[in-house]
Amino acid sequence: QVQLQESGPGLVKPSQTLSLTCTVSGGSISSGSYYWSWIRQPAGKGLEWIGRIYTSGSTNYNPSLKSRVTISVDTSKNQFSLKLSSVTAADTAVYYCARDGQWLALDYWGQGTLVTVSS
Amino acid sequence: QSVLTQPPSVSGAPGQRVTISCTGSSSNIGAGYDVHWYQQLPGTAPKLLIYGNSNRPSGVPDRFSGSKSGTSASLAITGLQAEDEADYYCQSYDSSLSGLFGGGTKLTVL
């Protein structure tokens, strides 16, 4: 059973870079034809797709965030990561990592981690 | 404002049938991209409910079904139960392979 777990600072100062890591267990991140995604959800609001990475390193990003987002993968650690630069209070949200499985549906999700942007 | 449009809320009595719509455009759903549906219970991560427009993952009751036609998709829930009270989201992609979510629909079981 694949499991995903987000980790990283829960508090980031405005203008700094938010960095999160998703650790995958129960299977190799490089096995199978999967994308690995990041999604976020501000409190009381809907889901926002941030971007995804294939194990080859190929990425797709949300156009509205593209200039600030970098997603990378470390197959040796079975992890993939999110960096979001120049954060503001609007970036405060629960951040989820997930696997794009069959039909590119998000079939496995992490529990989510709250990141607050505040000085 | 989401590219995929869902009604903010729907409601139904136990045992009834409800449907949730997801309206896109010729740039996403209408271009042939699949629609997936997720259920999010309060305080938890979303859970995949329907994938590839109409397929149910193992363990999802057959009370849940999905369909797609043209630029829209729908999620139907029959035999409504109290435990179905949750937020529901549709998801698809656009031509740049950027993921899209609907704004979400809150289901209230009366």
Side-chain angles (χ1 to χ4, degrees), chain A residues 45-79:
Chain A
K45 296 188 178 181
L47 301 169
E48 181 177 29
W49 187 86
I50 298 172
R52 62 179 185 173
I53 188 166
Y54 195 60
T55 49
S56 66
S58 172
T59 54
N60 301 110
Y61 296 133
N62 185 325
S64 68
L65 299 170
K66 188 174 184 177
S67 63
R68 298 194 293 130
V69 172
T70 301
I71 297 176
S72 58
V73 63
D74 187 337
T75 55
S76 67
K77 294 183 178 179
N78 232 32
Q79 295 175 336

Side-chain angles (χ1 to χ4, degrees), chain A residues 28-51:
Chain A
S28 171
I29 198 171
S30 55
S31 68
S33 301
Y34 299 119
Y35 280 88
W36 302 89
S37 295
W38 288 98
I39 302 99
R40 70 180 183 179
Q41 184 173 35
K45 296 188 178 181
L47 301 169
E48 181 177 29
W49 187 86
I50 298 172

Side-chain angles (χ1 to χ4, degrees), chain B residues 84-109:
Chain B
D84 299 332
E85 191 159 288
D87 294 324
Y88 293 83
Y89 294 90
C90 62
Q91 186 228 340
S92 188
Y93 286 87
D94 66 18
S95 56
S96 65
L97 293 181
S98 177
L100 304 169
F101 281 104
T105 298
K106 181 176 182 60
L107 169 62
T108 300
V109 180

